[in-house]
Amino acid sequence: MKQKIKYLIVIMLFSLGVISCHEDLYQSPIDPDSFTEEDVFSNATEAQGALAKLYASLALTGQQGPAGQADIADIDEGFSQYSRMLFNLNELTTDHAVVGWGDAGLPDLHGLYWSGSNDFTEAMYYRLAQEVSFCNSFIDNAAILTDTEVASYIAEARFLRAFTYFNLMDLYGNVPLVTSVTTELPSQATRTELFNFIESELLEIQDLLKPSGANEYGRVDKVAAWALLSKLYLNAEVLIGTPKYAEAVTFSNNVMSSGYTINNIDANGNGSAYDELFLADNDRNGAQSEFIFALNFDGMRSQTYGGSTFLVHASIGGSMNATDFGVNGGWGGLRTTKNLVNKFNVDVTALNNNLGILSKWGLVGDATANSWNGPDMEMHETGSNTFALYADLTSGEMKFRFDEDWGNNYGDDNTDGSLEAGGSNIPVSAPGTYYITLNLNNATYTITPFVGDSRGMFHKDGQTLEIEEIPSFENGYAVAKFKNIDSNGNQGSDAAGDFVDTDIPLIRLAEIYLNYAEATLRGGGGDLGLAVTKINELRERAYGNSNGNISSGDLTLEFVLDERSRELYWEGQRRTDLIRYNYFTSETYLWPFKGDSKNGVGVDAFRNLFPLPNNIITTNPNLIQNPGY
Amino acid sequence: MKKIKLFLIGILLSASFATFAQQTVKGVVKEKSSGTPLPGVSIVVKGTTIGTQTDFDGNFSIEKINTGAVLIFQYLGFAEKEVTITSNFNLSVMLDQSTEQLNEIVVVGYGSVRKEDLTGTTDLLTSKNFNKGPIVSAQSLISGRIAGVNVIAGSGAPGEGQTISIRGTGSLSLTNQPLYVIDGIPLDNGGVGGSRNPLNFINPNDIETFVVLKDASSTAIYGSRAANGVILINTKKGKNKEFKYNFSSQTTFYSIRDKVDVLSADQFTSLVNTIGSPSQIALLGASNTNWQDEIYTSAIGKDNNFSALGSLYGMPMRASFGYSEHDGILKGDNLQRTTGSINISPTLLDDHLKIDLNVKGMYTENTFADRGAIGGAISFDPTQAVKDSNSQYGGYFAWLDAGTGNQNNLAPTNPLALLDLIDDTAEVRRFVGNAKFDYKIHGLEDLTATVNLGYDTSNSHGRRVTSALIPTSDATFNGSKTSFIQNSDNKVFDAYLTYNKTFNQAHNLTATAGHAYQSFEYDNYNYDSEAKEDGNTYEFIDKSKNVLLSYFGRANYDYNGKYYLTATVRADASSKLNPNDRWGIFPSFAAAWSIHKESFMQDSFFNELKLRVGYGEVGNINGLGDYQFLTRYQGSTDTANYQFGNAFYQTFRPEPINKDLRWEVGKTFNIGVDFSLLDRRISGYINAYVKQTNDLIASAIVDPFTNFGNRINANIGNMENRGIEFNINASPIKTENFEWSLNYNVSLNDNKITALSTDQPQGGISTGVGNNVQVHREGETANSFFVFQQVYDVSGAPIEGVFVDRNSDNIINEEDKYINEDPFADILMGLNTNVSYKNWDLSVQSRASFGNYMYNDVAANKGIQVNATNNNILSNLHADYYTSGFTVISDKTALSDHFVQDASFFKIDNISLGYTFNSANNQTFKLYGSMQNVLIITDYDGLDPEINLGIDNNFYPRPRSFVLGININF
């Protein structure tokens, strides 16, 4: 009996232990950064953090910043940032950019020979599809909150979802259309179904979004819906085979009269209000008046290795001085091809013809076209004993002489601007186009670099225009468009110079102007005169004067495409534009190393679409790979 | 512990004492070679259950013995001896230490069995057979000793962690490490922050036995964590006798064995003069610096251990204290470790209650030299001097950016500056304690109740202090200090009942049933002081907890020691899995037949011949993160917030989720034969196995349209390992003065992924970003190399940028990559020998590996010409440049099969020679010397052919070392 009691006690002790243990199997997160659905959607203030993620997942790459807790697997976290991938897929694949790095799958993009498992085409799909899921989850969950502010959140989430689907449709063609949270394998939607969804969503939310300018910076208002409709309709012929240029005109018009304005504040006083759009303080220096939808970056609080941090660092190499760009060094990667550079070429002859008749005074020297032997570069007579010339010079020296005879020549002994007969050679320090004046009334001269279109921001020193081999940074001109200095010349907020403040506009008013002009030219029924006025608005900002203005006779489809290059290069638009003109894959338009060939060759038209990730095709049997892959 | 078991068995046996009229036999039992009396020797009268044990002085007495009776003397580690009683009733029995340890008690998890009665595939290695030499890590003790067990040191750093794989790779995403059970406490398989090796808390000198459970029929009792085998480590225990003391001390001299083959300063100068632009040539310096000589140094290590073993107030106990200090060959690397352990194992309540208390404590101080210096020293320009008097960076030469005047942000940092100006230290405290109570229930003596309570806690503090002088592109850099604190707690509660009875003197049954609970909890805290000064709160707190709850049972049955059956079952539930799939049931069965006990084998030359067959299932979720089935949102840190208006908001991200995660299940079939012959001069085993892992948990691609990420952990694949293991021990010579023993083991393993829906890129390399050189692919071995096929010219030199268009589409892209070999050895061998002559002993350990391939990442990344002059800096090249002539970086060249090389090898790991002085009073004094990392024979061009997972990237070289040591017993 005694033994049995002991036995019983042992069993009871065992059971007690076991029961208490069983409840311990129900563990829930104890990490202070881990939250539940109930936490996140408890009220509008908390839900704002979930909304912020919908924007942030296009700007940042994970929850730790600059790296850590990545959103996307299978690719370096810094590579997985949306606008960086957009650059890789829509700019690097075109005449706008080359990159020298040997990262997996990266050289394939400019060479137009990517495969169905390219790291970047895959990661972009993941990023965008994930953003759709984030938006779906937000829209589903936030519905329980009844605040009016939350109604605007939901409309913004729907805009972001439509924007994301626009990207998916543009890049990949036929992707699944998923509009609520589900784990079921989705079926493939056609581009028409996607188009109709995006269109109907945008039409519906245009009245749910806040009025123009009524939202805080960084969040979209109803103008964004109109702007995206403008893009959607402009590309409708490519996307669904049905032109919708009239609609493109209508919604471009809505945007143009919405209150958003082209930035004309030359905050840093350098003669143009264009470069302000790409400075560290572009969220407040005036440029923001033009930004309809922009990604916000901050060198301290929103850090990523993509975004503007990528655009600034990756563009710097060779003899470029990183300090001028507000960062601590370059990554020595990105450059451009001569196709883009040449779009900014100044027609020197036309400018000179406007100056006056040819004189016998000319420029001679190794900085001039024919060195010291002549024939000299003859100047135009602008007045009594005054002469001028727009001239393309190289670095070297020059003098003025009359009638190609050393008997009457002028140089400058003290480089003080006053001329001495038979004086010293005048140095020309850098190659470029110059405006040179000669005034024999008081024996003075000027030689000033000719700016022309200030949008062509290239670094040429130590670089070659032609590209012999892509890996060397010195091949091809470097691009100096994006900077991490503000309008006062100060570096952005990260004193270490690692991370950049500059925001990246995804849709800005200038693009809508160009949409309007193109849709009008394509028969959308717009006002051609208005189109010319709007384009001249952009060009006057670019030139700082009306030198570059066009007349309605100049406004052709070719002109608009080139103007889009000049205005919007490196802003993620080029591939889509080239496809609209059927230039992306065809032989019609070539650039260096198109199709992996030095002078460029056409490639198969199937490359107008990127492949769906092979991995996703394997995972979801409902999906059919795009043809050709 | 073993002795106690035997002692208890003895008590049990004497309980059914039968009475016949006879003589009392007395005597003493001694060890044959030394004459030391042996306490605790078990003595049984043959054919009866009558028996006793020797006392502390080796004396025994048994009453009422008939003339002609046979006494059987048994003692652990000694050959059994039978003595027939004739006219001498006062015996002096000498026992001989046996090479065979058939009667050894093997701990098999929640119990123990005699080695002879094992049905599963279990290897036992005792302290006697451990590897010699400079052993800082416990795992090194068994390297090359056991067929099918591969031990690879992570690097040559002191006390570095070791990867152990048992029978190949069993899982893709989860851990492939075996479960370590120390004195009955299963360890958490996560690492310990600031520590180089999770087993560092054990002093290798305290370890008595390693038991390696290889097949599922042995491991299934550990259920879900045993998928990759189990290593049971048992520390030395107290003995019930007079105190004996051991002191050992050894000093190790480390030196570098080999360096990476790079261009000399002269070769490099001539290369730059040939290929460089004038501005690049102008960068050349006038010095001749061998950077590898600069960063490596010879180093010294010291180990001192003291232990005492005996009985205190009638309680057997052992205490030990150890202190080690080792420098690394990378300048500044240092490990200091203090360990202490106490074991007390009293027996109370008329021997009904056995208590086993173990306490182990460790304190280590690590100083980590910055390993960036290793790669830096390979590529740093050899024409530059270490120091430059004009340098703003504490006199260390640095490549400056012409624009900013600070270090070029693409330049490598002077390796010596990394070593001298960064101070990275950590202290780890760890305590592991357990109390085990075995209570043989009064009145139900066949039944033992066991309760084991364990607690394993560690606490790490680390900090990395970077001097403001360090070369950096950050002009504002003012020095930094980042620090972390990590705590982890692992609690164990086991309770089980064991029933042991023999029926009809032939049917032996042992049954065990019980319950186990274990919880794992950790919190990490990181802090960045520089960020704090910048006005940011860079604090990351990371906390997690999971619980494992189990029921288990086992029945061992044998008939007359001839036919054995074992069945086990374990049910595990983990808080990591959703409530519906959280329980996994893992059964196993095994049978064995001791053929040599059959009558028809009476005259054979086999001393033992046993056939074993077993099948078992084990689960695995080791290494799976917690809470993955729950809907969770992750908040962003202060550097990943998003701006609306003028404010920055913390963002909340829904986390990838898999509500359907369930156990990964490994199923092993094993058949084996144990044998010994020629008077046990030769013994060994052979095993063949098939191990299938089903419902493999791997990070699987999901369409992010259906989840919140593109990969989730999911049960998506199957894998198979097949193999054969063979082990043989031989004692060709065994005389009084001269003894020679040999161990040879060989294992063949073939791994294949049998189902996996999408490829998984593996094996990141240093060229570019995002390049992977390996893949997990269905139909192939895990981690297979996945590369482009290089085209070679007629002279055999690779043609740069030309690869075989394997899919003939006139484009070379990812689709032209192919599977080319894998990093795992097809055949592994160990050959170990000991020779002793009089007081001398010599041992040699060697290993061989065949069919393991290596990707030479150093050559692929640093053997490319353009790197020499890229980015306005000069960088040295790997000498492979002279072979390949590759000039330009591209993702394809880096993935050329040119860099995948056969890394089969033969290594002599250690040669040791010792001399033992014997003195009176059983005191011994041994002096020994040994050499480690003696010889490597391989065709592989890199530094070391043995790197886990086959990617040779800036490997911390394993030093060659010389050891001098003494060992005193008194």
Side-chain angles (χ1 to χ4, degrees), chain A residues 249-453:
Chain A
V249 165
T250 305
F251 282 94
S252 300
N253 237 330
N254 283 353
V255 176
M256 293 192 296
S257 50
S258 67
Y260 279 80
T261 56
I262 293 294
N263 174 47
N264 276 313
I265 302 169
D266 179 12
N268 60 6
N270 69 348
S272 164
Y274 178 77
D275 59 321
E276 275 70 15
L277 301 182
F278 312 103
L279 294 182
D281 56 351
N282 62 353
D283 56 343
R284 57 186 185 277
N285 64 14
Q288 74 277 12
S289 72
E290 186 173 338
F291 292 172
I292 295 164
F293 177 28
L295 298 178
N296 295 348
F297 297 97
D298 185 88
M300 298 306 290
R301 290 164 295 191
S302 301
Q303 296 181 340
T304 169
Y305 288 108
S308 48
T309 293
F310 159 74
L311 284 174
V312 173
H313 281 282
S315 310
I316 299 173
S319 66
M320 298 167 85
N321 186 342
T323 312
D324 298 342
F325 294 81
V327 291
N328 58 22
W331 299 346
L334 298 177
R335 284 147 283 135
T336 189
T337 75
K338 62 183 176 188
N339 292 42
L340 177 64
V341 177
N342 290 341
K343 292 190 198 313
F344 291 94
N345 278 353
V346 181
D347 187 348
V348 177
T349 316
L351 287 169
N352 283 331
N353 286 341
N354 290 334
L355 290 174
I357 56 159
L358 270 184
S359 71
K360 291 208 162 180
W361 279 97
L363 313 179
V364 66
D366 58 11
T368 69
N370 299 310
S371 198
W372 294 108
N373 303 319
D376 298 354
M377 298 172 84
E378 288 177 332
M379 302 183 77
H380 294 258
E381 195 165 344
T382 53
S384 168
N385 281 331
T386 61
F387 308 90
L389 183 71
Y390 293 97
D392 291 322
L393 301 178
T394 59
S395 47
E397 295 175 325
M398 56 157 262
K399 293 184 87 170
F400 298 96
R401 71 175 175 174
F402 186 71
D403 202 15
E404 310 197 351
D405 181 355
W406 287 112
N408 189 3
N409 79 82
Y410 284 95
D412 182 359
D413 283 341
N414 307 309
T415 54
D416 56 2
S418 68
L419 293 165
E420 289 81 25
S424 304
N425 296 341
I426 299 165
V428 177
S429 58
T433 304
Y434 289 86
Y435 180 60
I436 299 138
T437 64
L438 173 66
N439 186 342
L440 294 177
N441 296 316
N442 55 9
T444 58
Y445 73 100
T446 62
I447 169 164
T448 48
F450 173 73
V451 177
D453 192 334

Side-chain angles (χ1 to χ4, degrees), chain B residues 751-856:
Chain B
N751 170 286
K752 192 174 178 183
I753 298 170
T754 49
L756 188 67
S757 58
T758 51
D759 284 358
Q760 287 197 25
Q762 295 291 310
I765 60 171
S766 47
T767 300
V769 177
N771 284 308
N772 292 289
V773 74
Q774 296 172 337
V775 71
H776 292 330
R777 169 176 283 189
E778 184 172 309
E780 305 289 346
T781 302
N783 292 92
S784 285
F785 291 108
F786 191 47
V787 287
F788 291 102
Q789 188 178 355
Q790 184 73 49
V791 173
Y792 293 83
D793 66 16
V794 284
S795 70
I799 308 175
E800 181 166 9
V802 181
F803 301 96
V804 176
D805 182 12
R806 292 180 65 100
N807 68 351
S808 307
D809 64 351
N810 297 320
I811 289 176
I812 303 292
N813 61 18
E814 287 94 335
E815 278 149 25
D816 296 296
K817 290 201 280 187
Y818 78 113
I819 299 278
N820 178 34
E821 304 295 348
D822 63 78
F824 302 112
D826 301 325
I827 304 174
L828 285 168
M829 290 182 198
L831 179 62
N832 307 292
T833 183
N834 285 293
V835 178
S836 62
Y837 176 70
K838 290 190 173 164
N839 291 353
W840 291 93
D841 64 83
L842 171 75
S843 77
V844 180
Q845 295 149 23
S846 63
R847 285 177 304 126
S849 171
F850 300 99
N852 52 307
Y853 281 71
M854 183 87 74
Y855 172 75
N856 192 339

Side-chain angles (χ1 to χ4, degrees), chain A residues 566-619:
Chain A
R566 289 184 286 260
E567 179 69 28
L568 300 170
Y569 71 95
W570 284 32
E571 293 180 54
Q573 311 265 359
R574 182 62 170 169
R575 174 188 147 276
T576 312
D577 292 345
L578 288 176
I579 288 173
R580 215 165 46 246
Y581 283 74
N582 194 26
Y583 285 170
F584 182 60
T585 51
S586 68
E587 290 276 356
T588 322
Y589 183 72
L590 299 177
W591 56 82
F593 289 94
K594 179 177 184 176
D596 206 23
S597 167
K598 188 170 174 242
N599 297 318
V601 292
V603 300
D604 292 332
F606 72 79
R607 293 195 182 274
N608 284 326
L609 282 183
F610 289 109
L612 301 173
N614 278 345
N615 275 332
I616 294 293
I617 300 286
T618 319
T619 310

Side-chain angles (χ1 to χ4, degrees), chain A residues 132-149:
Chain A
V132 169
S133 285
F134 287 165
C135 291
N136 287 339
S137 163
F138 183 88
I139 294 162
D140 288 357
N141 283 301
I144 58 163
L145 297 169
T146 50
D147 317 43
T148 50
E149 188 64 18

Side-chain angles (χ1 to χ4, degrees), chain A residues 94-99 110 333-341 457-458 463-467 475-479 569-570 592:
Chain A
T94 71
D95 53 341
H96 278 184
V98 295
V99 67
H110 187 77
L334 298 177
R335 284 147 283 135
T336 189
T337 75
K338 62 183 176 188
N339 292 42
L340 177 64
V341 177
M457 295 187 274
F458 302 111
Q463 305 292 125
T464 60
L465 179 61
E466 295 288 342
I467 297 173
N475 284 229
Y477 285 173
V479 170
Y569 71 95
W570 284 32

Side-chain angles (χ1 to χ4, degrees), chain B residues 631-845:
Chain B
T631 307
R632 290 162 297 140
Y633 283 78
Q634 182 69 34
S636 61
T637 63
D638 292 345
T639 49
N641 290 345
Y642 197 73
Q643 180 186 3
F644 287 155
N646 293 317
F648 286 79
Y649 293 88
Q650 182 183 32
T651 74
F652 302 116
R653 177 182 70 190
E655 293 296 279
I657 180 170
N658 183 358
K659 292 182 174 164
D660 303 321
L661 268 179
R662 49 188 196 279
W663 295 93
E664 175 178 305
V665 179
K667 301 177 177 178
T668 309
F669 176 77
N670 188 91
I671 183 163
V673 174
D674 296 337
F675 60 89
S676 73
L677 54 156
L678 302 175
D679 292 331
R680 304 189 190 281
R681 283 288 185 88
I682 295 175
S683 65
Y685 60 77
I686 183 163
N687 289 317
Y689 60 87
V690 178
K691 179 171 151 193
Q692 281 176 331
T693 313
N694 296 338
D695 285 344
L696 205 60
I697 294 181
S699 135
I701 287 279
V702 284
D703 193 332
F705 279 118
T706 63
N707 212 307
F708 299 120
N710 63 315
R711 279 198 184 268
I712 55 168
N713 285 312
N715 303 84
I716 54 159
N718 298 321
M719 189 157 66
E720 187 176 274
N721 284 281
R722 291 167 176 272
I724 297 174
E725 296 158 355
F726 177 69
N727 181 75
I728 188 163
N729 295 303
S731 305
I733 299 172
K734 194 173 182 183
T735 67
E736 197 164 335
N737 284 330
F738 188 45
E739 213 174 309
W740 178 30
S741 66
L742 275 168
N743 164 268
Y744 170 73
N745 60 74
V746 56
S747 59
L748 287 72
N749 186 72
D750 182 31
N751 170 286
K752 192 174 178 183
I753 298 170
T754 49
L756 188 67
S757 58
T758 51
D759 284 358
Q760 287 197 25
Q762 295 291 310
I765 60 171
S766 47
T767 300
V769 177
N771 284 308
N772 292 289
V773 74
Q774 296 172 337
V775 71
H776 292 330
R777 169 176 283 189
E778 184 172 309
E780 305 289 346
T781 302
N783 292 92
S784 285
F785 291 108
F786 191 47
V787 287
F788 291 102
Q789 188 178 355
Q790 184 73 49
V791 173
Y792 293 83
D793 66 16
V794 284
S795 70
I799 308 175
E800 181 166 9
V802 181
F803 301 96
V804 176
D805 182 12
R806 292 180 65 100
N807 68 351
S808 307
D809 64 351
N810 297 320
I811 289 176
I812 303 292
N813 61 18
E814 287 94 335
E815 278 149 25
D816 296 296
K817 290 201 280 187
Y818 78 113
I819 299 278
N820 178 34
E821 304 295 348
D822 63 78
F824 302 112
D826 301 325
I827 304 174
L828 285 168
M829 290 182 198
L831 179 62
N832 307 292
T833 183
N834 285 293
V835 178
S836 62
Y837 176 70
K838 290 190 173 164
N839 291 353
W840 291 93
D841 64 83
L842 171 75
S843 77
V844 180
Q845 295 149 23

